[in-house]
């Protein structure tokens, strides 16, 4: 992912994340996941593939053509979009020959075992790597010609992701247009190419950045898909109640201005970080869970946009794992829905089916104190859980089964899990201002059984799962409100 875009805006239980690219209720629509490797202690490619298969993942986007990754995906049938990094565009796009050589060495060699279905030529080139702007479309054409020559063009589409900042005057959406520096020279031939080859327009949408830039006039609810009064496009009288749809329609309008209303959009990146620096407004685990949960439901329900209701907008969530070597703000390292050890950063319902696996070891989850959290923060959260949160904390009193070890961390973990269990393991109930996390490892010890373990033993893990999955929409919204209340209450 590129750094957060500060673009002017004028104008979502299940118990652990079974991630991503789950088949939608409407055939053909999917949610996928971006898989980056800029982190320490990440699982091996084969571990990642095994993990994804257990989660039912069917669509993945990677950012290069890493041989170990592509070899690991062989036989998995997971569909992959590979990438040409920005810094390689100039060399790959020198000629038909250089592009053909790249396709042979980086794509064709892995087929058909590895199911490569797309090639993303660069990422946000026209806003982040303008050095390659003039050769972007020629490179795409060279790559496509090489696919045609290899008889791969019907299987593999060629496109390039764009930042929302490429669009100007994006609200109201109906009057959006592309940056005039590139509109005629690059965007017109690019759109022509996508249309002629049956490809799609790729767009990266990061509502957090839009909210941060425009919070004087935009509510965070508008960014998070939460209920709000919305904003009306004065030209069309269409009502918009979330950033995601407004940016999609802005892109549709900008393409229409260049005589292209025939192209679909694939959202190549969208997500929300779970942690950030003190000055990063709107960053939290609860907001990350809220945004991604609501995004997934929005996409899989084929809601479409006000301008194009009912359309499919296939979307890749950024991203599967946290990447601690990414440059920039703390948020840049914390877009993952999983930690590198493959435990969830937060619980997220993305299937709507109730079918969930975590890391393949258990269908049960517990809420425990997060490593690195200070005793002061844990004590505050513990006080809330056992007080206002009505958690059952008798077992951590002196002389009881979970009193020892007599540490804030141990007691907090028990209290967190009690609260989590009482809330039906609902979204956002295991956060406590960032000091708690969901785990698939039973923290019980000796005679001390954690509440989630007791409940599972009493009812069976499957029933617990189904209860969590069966949350109604009203219950989901209520739990979200409760999560916000938790964040504000201690």
């Amino acid at each position: 992912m590129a750094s957060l875009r500060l673009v002017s805006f004028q104008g979502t239980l299940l118990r652990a994340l079974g991630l991503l690219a789950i088949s939608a209720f409407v055939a053909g629509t999917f949610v996928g996941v971006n898989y980056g490797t800029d982190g320490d202690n990440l699982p091996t490619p084969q571990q990642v593939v095994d993990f994804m298969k257990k989660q039912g993942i069917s669509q993945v986007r990677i950012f290069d053509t890493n041989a170990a990754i592509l070899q690991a995906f062989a036989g998995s049938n997971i569909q992959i979009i590979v990438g040409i990094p920005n810094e390689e565009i100039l060399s790959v796009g020198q000629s038909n020959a250089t592009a053909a050589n790249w396709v042979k060495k980086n794509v064709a060699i892995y087929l058909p075992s590895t199911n490569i279905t797309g090639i993303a030529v660069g990422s946000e080139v026209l806003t982040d790597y303008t050095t390659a702007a003039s050769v972007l479309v020629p490179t795409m054409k060279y790559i496509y010609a090489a696919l045609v020559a290899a008889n791969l063009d019907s299987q593999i589409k060629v496109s390039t992701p764009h930042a929302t900042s490429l669009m100007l005057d994006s609200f109201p959406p109906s009057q959006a247009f592309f940056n005039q520096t590139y509109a005629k020279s690059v965007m017109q031939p690019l759109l022509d190419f996508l249309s002629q080859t049956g490809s799609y327009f790729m767009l990266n949408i990061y509502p957090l950045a839009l909210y941060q830039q425009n919070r004087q006039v935009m509510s965070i609810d508008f960014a998070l898909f939460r209920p709000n009064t919305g904003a009306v496009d004065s030209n069309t009288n269409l009502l918009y109640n979330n950033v995601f749809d407004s940016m999609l329609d802005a892109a549709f309008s900008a393409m229409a201005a260049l005589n292209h209303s025939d192209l679909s959009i694939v959202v190549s990146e969208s997500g929300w970080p779970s942690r950030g620096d003190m000055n990063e407004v709107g960053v939290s685990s609860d907001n990350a869970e809220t945004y991604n949960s609501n995004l997934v439901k929005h996409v899989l329900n084929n809601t479409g946009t006000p301008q194009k209701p009912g359309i499919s907008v296939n979307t890749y969530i950024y991203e599967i794992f946290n990447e601690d070597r990414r440059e920039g703000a703390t948020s840049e390292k914390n877009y993952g829905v999983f930690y590198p050890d493959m435990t969830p950063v937060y619980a997220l319902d993305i299937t709507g089916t109730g079918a969930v696996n975590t890391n393949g070891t258990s269908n049960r989850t517990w809420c425990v104190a997060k490593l690195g959290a200070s005793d002061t923060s844990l004590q505050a959260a513990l006080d809330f859980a056992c007080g206002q949160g009505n958690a059952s904390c008798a077992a951590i009193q002196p002389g009881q089964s979970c009193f020892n070890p007599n540490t804030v961390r141990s007691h907090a973990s028990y209290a967190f899990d009690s609260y989590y269990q009482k809330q039906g393991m609902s979204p956002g109930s295991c956060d406590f201002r960032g000091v708690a996390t969901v785990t698939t490892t039973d923290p019980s010890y000796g005679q001390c059984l954690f509440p989630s373990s007791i409940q599972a033993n009493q009812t069976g893990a499957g029933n617990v799962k189904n209860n969590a999955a069966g949350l109604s929409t009203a219950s989901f919204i209520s739990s979200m409100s409760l999560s916000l209340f938790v964040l504000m209450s201690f």
Side-chain angles (χ1 to χ4, degrees), residues 333-350:
K333 312 174 195 299
N334 288 279
Y335 272 86
V337 190
F338 286 99
Y339 294 108
D341 64 0
M342 296 184 286
T343 59
V345 175
Y346 48 83
L348 177 66
D349 178 3
I350 67 160

Side-chain angles (χ1 to χ4, degrees), residues 171-174 231-240 306-307:
F171 200 91
S174 61
V232 175
D233 185 322
S234 57
N235 299 318
T236 63
N237 289 323
L238 293 174
L239 175 65
Y240 290 84
Q307 190 180 123

Side-chain angles (χ1 to χ4, degrees), residues 200-211:
Y200 39 75
F201 185 85
M202 300 178 80
L203 184 65
N204 296 342
I205 303 179
Y206 287 97
L208 173 62
L210 297 164
Y211 165 71

Side-chain angles (χ1 to χ4, degrees), residues 193-247:
F193 168 81
L194 297 179
S195 179
Q196 293 161 6
T197 62
S199 191
Y200 39 75
F201 185 85
M202 300 178 80
L203 184 65
N204 296 342
I205 303 179
Y206 287 97
L208 173 62
L210 297 164
Y211 165 71
Q212 289 175 334
Q213 180 69 11
N214 301 278
R215 53 197 173 103
Q216 294 84 1
V217 295
M218 183 196 299
S219 73
I220 195 167
D221 293 333
F222 193 80
L224 291 170
F225 291 97
R226 290 201 299 231
N228 62 91
T229 57
V232 175
D233 185 322
S234 57
N235 299 318
T236 63
N237 289 323
L238 293 174
L239 175 65
Y240 290 84
N241 53 27
N242 64 80
V243 173
F244 187 80
D245 283 351
S246 67
M247 296 312 297

Side-chain angles (χ1 to χ4, degrees), residues 349-424:
D349 178 3
I350 67 160
T351 68
T353 66
V356 167
N357 284 312
T358 53
N359 61 2
T361 61
S362 171
N363 280 333
R364 292 183 288 160
T365 57
W366 295 259
C367 181
V368 297
K370 186 179 291 184
L371 291 175
S374 70
D375 282 355
T376 300
S377 298
L378 289 172
Q379 186 65 60
L382 171 60
D383 292 343
F384 168 81
C386 293
Q388 198 170 354
N390 294 316
S392 298
C393 297
I396 56 176
Q397 300 305 310
Q400 300 304 308
S401 59
C402 298
F403 178 71
N404 289 317
N406 182 17
T407 65
V408 173
R409 177 172 300 281
S410 178
H411 290 180
S413 288
Y414 185 92
F416 293 170
D417 191 58
S418 174
Y419 180 86
Y420 178 61
Q421 181 61 235
K422 285 198 169 190
Q423 300 306 321

Side-chain angles (χ1 to χ4, degrees), residues 52-71:
M52 289 183 178
K53 289 168 64 177
K54 289 173 182 176
Q55 311 314 317
I57 297 173
S58 64
Q59 306 280 346
V60 179
R61 175 185 170 220
I62 64 175
F63 299 94
D64 51 23
T65 52
N66 183 293
I69 292 176
L70 293 177
Q71 289 167 356

